[in-house]
Amino acid sequence: MAVITYPFDTYRIFHKTRESISNETARIVCFDGSRWRGTLFFYRNPAPALASVHLGTDALYLRFDDWMYPHIIDTLRNESPLFLTLDDNTGRGWVATSDEPVGEEEG
């Protein structure tokens, strides 16, 4: 297929109280307005060998090692606009910003 990108402007964070069988430690659910656009899953090492996927509902499941959690939280708090992106050919996904000028400070 192709590279799929969805914008998002709000999110909800969920922290797990107990370790699950999959080693999932947290998840962040992302919305564009009231429309669900995807979920970011964070796994403790060893993370399961699960690819990120595009769901038939125009949403993405993106999977990360939990060491990436603070970096993604920093991006969510300090950048705008934000996008969820998935390369459907490789199963690799990312959280991204738009093109930004060098030296720009978010206000």
Side-chain angles (χ1 to χ4, degrees), residues 1-94:
M1 289 191 75
V3 174
I4 302 155
T5 300
Y6 296 125
F8 70 100
D9 54 17
T10 59
Y11 59 90
R12 293 181 195 153
I13 298 173
F14 299 85
H15 294 277
K16 295 281 195 142
T17 59
R18 292 187 150 186
E19 186 175 317
S20 69
I21 197 162
S22 67
N23 287 339
E24 182 186 336
T25 58
R27 66 177 61 179
I28 301 171
V29 182
C30 303
F31 300 89
D32 183 20
S34 63
R35 186 173 187 173
W36 173 57
R37 283 308 198 175
T39 302
L40 313 178
F41 296 92
F42 296 86
Y43 298 94
R44 183 175 335 153
N45 289 329
L50 298 171
S52 294
V53 295
H54 179 230
L55 304 173
T57 57
D58 291 334
L60 304 175
Y61 276 179
L62 303 182
R63 295 180 169 99
F64 300 91
D65 289 328
D66 67 353
W67 65 265
M68 294 185 69
Y69 181 83
H71 304 290
I72 290 176
I73 289 295
D74 184 60
T75 300
L76 297 181
R77 289 182 177 159
N78 295 302
E79 300 296 335
S80 181
L82 292 166
F83 301 90
L84 301 176
T85 303
L86 173 72
D87 182 333
D88 211 22
N89 294 319
T90 65
R92 294 181 187 262
W94 54 93

